[in-house]
Amino acid sequence: MAEHFHEDSVAAVAVRIDVEHPEGLVFDPHQPQLRVTDLGAVRGDGVFETMYAEAGRIRKLEAHLERLARSADILDIGLPPAASWRAAVELGLEEYRTRGALPEELTIKLVATRGVEGEPASDDPAFAGTYWALLTPVTDAMRATRGKPVAVTLLDRGYDSTAAERAPWLLLGAKSLSYAVNMASLRWAKDHGFDDVIYTTSDGQVLEGPTSTVLIVTRGADGARRLITPVLETGILPGTTQGAIFAAAEKAGWDLGYGPLTPQDLLDADHVFLASSVRLVSPIARLDDAELAVDDELTAELIDLLAEDLPVSHPLD
Ligand code: PLP
């Protein structure tokens, strides 16, 4: 097989979890591993998480594990216990240490698929699918754009704000492997001169980005700062980055709010951001044809709040 591996992916470490190796087994991600009939590959029938580690410390590990379990529950996919995932990721970090080269920053992806139809990997439902963790150094490109202003376009997600409640089979709010639509939206944005996307519902509510949560900051007449993020009832993903920023901001005395937000709310806000685990925080400098104010100090402050790595806070908690 003629394969070409980018420098960063050569440095990848992979750990699989199965019933015989509930604490993980290191494998070579550059060799074929997945059966071609795996439903994760052929139907996107699986769930995942993307986490960030700095100096070997994984940010918001428990929140990611909880969300992985929640997504697996929504898709009805058996999942190894949290202790297995913790051990597998630790094994991956240990593998880097053994090689004498633990990267300063890592992206850690956890993947769980339904496995092969009719051929469960184990009789134990918790190990019936396919499970792995992939650790890769954060790319230079990602590091270079982190915290930098972005241009964003609003795109219609094609359903209204009640779809999550009316149609649970759409799996809204689960972090499923079916991200082809999300990636297509990003390509659309790039083709039209934007860096990223914010989805809206057909009835005019702000949802989220294809890989990020929307945050707005407003300043009251008394100068008090207020952080607001869209409500979860529309079926957006509960962002762990948003949750960690909210927890730290609350401790620092900021006001917090959850709203049904509209595009006009974004235009009226003092500042608007996209937040996600590896990018951290990106200020929005342009929303379609409107210029938005960027405050570098505020961006740095939000990134610092994240470093406190407090347990996340969501409106559903
Ligand atoms: N919303 C969607 C659809 C996402 O895919 C992501 C992350 O990839 C987020 C929000 C942000 O989540 P987190 O902050 O937990 O990375």
Side-chain angles (χ1 to χ4, degrees):
M1 208 184 307
E3 283 181 288
H4 173 75
F5 294 109
H6 185 267
E7 194 183 323
D8 290 320
S9 74
V10 170
V13 164
V15 184
R16 67 190 242 219
I17 298 171
D18 57 40
V19 75
E20 274 139 34
H21 307 96
E23 312 234 296
L25 179 71
V26 173
F27 69 89
D28 181 356
H30 307 108
Q31 295 302 318
Q33 302 287 340
L34 203 63
R35 289 177 60 178
V36 293
T37 44
D38 194 289
L39 293 169
V42 294
R43 289 193 184 145
D45 198 354
V47 297
F48 76 105
E49 280 297 320
T50 303
M51 314 193 290
Y52 171 65
E54 191 187 29
R57 246 190 98 227
I58 304 165
R59 296 249 181 110
K60 317 180 249 87
L61 174 62
E62 293 312 309
H64 283 287
L65 291 177
E66 276 167 32
R67 194 171 62 186
L68 185 70
R70 181 176 168 274
S71 298
D73 193 44
I74 295 173
L75 271 75
D76 198 19
I77 285 176
L79 195 72
S84 282
W85 293 99
R86 279 189 214 108
V89 170
E90 197 42 55
L91 190 62
L93 293 172
E94 205 41 51
E95 172 69 14
Y96 274 118
R97 292 190 192 103
T98 307
R99 293 181 189 179
L102 178 69
E104 178 59 20
E105 294 182 59
L106 284 169
T107 298
I108 304 179
K109 198 164 175 180
L110 310 179
V111 182
T113 86
R114 195 179 300 282
V116 176
E117 192 158 26
E119 293 179 57
S122 163
D123 293 337
D124 180 346
F127 293 92
T130 309
Y131 313 101
W132 73 89
L134 182 69
L135 297 78
T136 8
V138 172
T139 60
D140 290 342
M142 169 62 82
R143 288 155 66 114
T145 55
R146 195 180 269 152
K148 298 283 188 307
V150 289
V152 171
T153 184
L154 292 165
L155 293 183
D156 185 351
R157 191 69 177 79
Y159 51 71
D160 70 38
S161 56
T162 66
E165 208 187 338
R166 270 186 300 110
W169 51 88
L170 292 180
L171 307 178
L172 300 179
K175 198 164 166 64
S176 87
L177 285 175
S178 310
Y179 260 47
V181 167
N182 304 43
M183 297 301 111
S185 320
L186 288 174
R187 285 196 299 278
W188 175 280
K190 298 215 159 114
D191 288 349
H192 291 80
F194 296 92
D195 304 302
D196 216 317
V197 170
I198 292 177
Y199 293 128
T200 54
T201 61
S202 53
D203 52 346
Q205 280 198 34
V206 170
L207 289 169
E208 61 190 340
T211 64
S212 61
T213 308
V214 177
L215 304 179
I216 70 176
V217 175
T218 58
R219 270 174 216 270
D222 56 354
R225 288 182 296 189
R226 188 172 162 81
L227 261 172
I228 308 174
T229 196
V231 283
L232 295 176
E233 281 76 5
T234 49
I236 60 171
L237 201 68
T240 62
T241 312
Q242 169 268 317
I245 290 178
F246 269 43
E250 186 168 39
K251 204 175 111 216
W254 300 37
D255 292 334
L256 304 182
Y258 304 92
L261 295 179
T262 62
Q264 190 60 45
D265 292 324
L266 303 189
L267 296 172
D268 292 345
D270 290 318
H271 307 284
V272 186
F273 298 89
L274 295 179
S276 59
S277 293
V278 181
R279 124 188 28 212
L280 308 181
V281 174
S282 305
I284 301 181
R286 182 158 66 92
L287 187 63
D288 288 320
D289 47 14
E291 303 292 327
L292 303 188
V294 167
D295 175 341
D296 291 336
E297 263 176 47
L298 179 61
T299 306
E301 212 174 319
L302 292 175
I303 290 175
D304 285 348
L305 287 176
L306 261 177
E308 293 186 33
D309 199 16
L310 294 183
V312 310
S313 148
H314 289 303
L316 294 183
D317 291 348

